[in-house]
Amino acid sequence: MKQQLNLFFHALQFYSRIPAGKIDYSEENLAQSIRYFPLVGSVVGIVGASVFMLFMLVFSQGVSVTAALISMIAVTGALHEDGVSDFFDGFGGAYTRERILEIMKDSHVGAYGVISLVLLLLAKFSLLTSITPEKVPLVLIAAHTSSRFVAVALMKSSSYARTENSKSAHSRLSLSRTTVVTAFVFGVLPLVFIPPLVSAVAAIVYAIILFALKHYVEKKIGGFTGDVLGTLQQFCEIAFYLVYTALISII
């Protein structure tokens, strides 16, 4: 139990800004902690859901959604949104593998990155404000949790593209079956509160996004990076909102 708590705190410290206290850090522990990546997503979703419900006591749904989005970005330190920005700057602004990786590692943000972030946040806002207010908290938790398992699936099925050290270098270590199964269990648990049809269609859409992005990045750079993982998570999160809004009216 102590080791599992240590792994969870590894995940919490790496994938969020929530203080995790003193941990027995190692790259191997960080790689194993990926099993709790979806659980960290649940924590992020719960924070957003709590802020949303609190603001709904006084403000409109639009203001409440905005506050929830800000809170979740603050909790993660914009880790995944930064990945989206770097992804579009890299793949949109270069053609060779070396140049793409170089741009994605650069801390500067280009036009592709800025535009992608604006559209990303606009999509989230428009979709979440179109959902019945009492359902938004469950949708936030389910989307943030399940979308992070798709990133785990990419780590398991592909290879890390960089050879030099980076903050995501632990991703090059092979994931054990226990890690993947644990991540899957945590990833699907919140879906029990979502209509089965929505969950089923979302799973299909997740698989399509995973296959398409995996094929694309392997062709371009030979595998994934931390920015690719963040982009995949954000794509799947928005896909969940989109599927929910499309199907909930006919269920």
Side-chain angles (χ1 to χ4, degrees):
M1 178 60 71
K2 183 178 179 181
Q3 172 63 4
Q4 294 307 310
L5 281 174
N6 183 50
L7 293 180
F8 172 66
F9 288 140
H10 266 74
L12 199 63
Q13 187 175 86
F14 187 83
Y15 296 112
S16 80
R17 292 293 178 87
I18 299 174
K22 186 178 180 180
I23 59 174
D24 182 19
Y25 177 81
S26 71
E27 190 170 280
E28 182 179 351
N29 280 343
L30 188 55
Q32 291 187 52
S33 76
I34 290 170
R35 68 188 63 182
Y36 294 116
F37 186 30
L39 185 57
V40 174
S42 294
V43 174
V44 174
I46 289 171
V47 169
S50 300
V51 170
F52 176 81
M53 291 187 291
L54 182 63
F55 271 71
M56 280 296 293
L57 296 175
V58 180
F59 301 102
S60 67
Q61 184 172 352
V63 173
S64 301
V65 166
T66 301
L69 291 175
I70 292 172
S71 70
M72 292 183 291
I73 290 173
V75 166
T76 62
L79 178 66
H80 309 302
E81 289 80 4
D82 179 66
V84 172
S85 174
D86 289 341
F87 176 89
F88 279 96
D89 273 341
F91 286 92
Y95 297 99
T96 66
R97 175 184 184 276
E98 291 72 21
R99 184 57 180 154
I100 291 172
L101 291 173
E102 180 183 353
I103 291 176
M104 286 199 292
K105 197 170 185 179
D106 193 332
S107 59
H108 294 88
V109 180
Y112 288 108
V114 172
I115 293 170
S116 67
L117 288 179
V118 171
L119 294 178
L120 176 78
L121 294 173
L122 182 61
K124 290 184 180 183
F125 178 84
S126 61
L127 289 168
L128 288 170
T129 52
S130 67
I131 298 173
T132 306
E134 57 267 23
K135 298 297 184 182
V136 170
L138 290 177
V139 171
L140 284 174
I141 296 169
H144 275 272
T145 306
S146 59
S147 62
R148 280 163 170 78
F149 172 72
V150 187
V152 176
L154 178 58
M155 282 186 261
K156 180 64 176 176
S157 61
S158 189
S159 56
Y160 192 63
R162 296 188 186 277
T163 56
E164 72 278 11
N165 287 330
S166 70
K167 63 182 180 180
S168 299
H170 65 281
S171 302
R172 67 166 59 99
L173 299 180
S174 178
L175 300 185
S176 67
R177 181 179 300 178
T178 300
T179 293
V180 176
V181 171
T182 303
F184 174 77
V185 171
F186 283 123
V188 301
L189 272 179
L191 297 181
V192 301
F193 301 106
I194 301 296
L197 178 60
V198 173
S199 297
V201 174
I204 295 172
V205 175
Y206 281 176
I208 294 172
I209 295 173
L210 173 61
F211 176 80
L213 189 64
K214 178 177 181 291
H215 176 76
Y216 179 74
V217 298
E218 287 182 344
K219 180 179 179 181
K220 289 287 187 176
I221 60 174
F224 67 88
T225 66
D227 293 326
V228 172
L229 296 174
T231 300
L232 177 60
Q233 185 276 318
Q234 291 288 294
F235 281 0
C236 289
E237 181 188 334
I238 289 178
F240 190 91
Y241 301 149
L242 192 62
V243 170
Y244 187 91
T245 55
L247 295 180
I248 198 63
S249 60
I250 64 174
I251 296 177

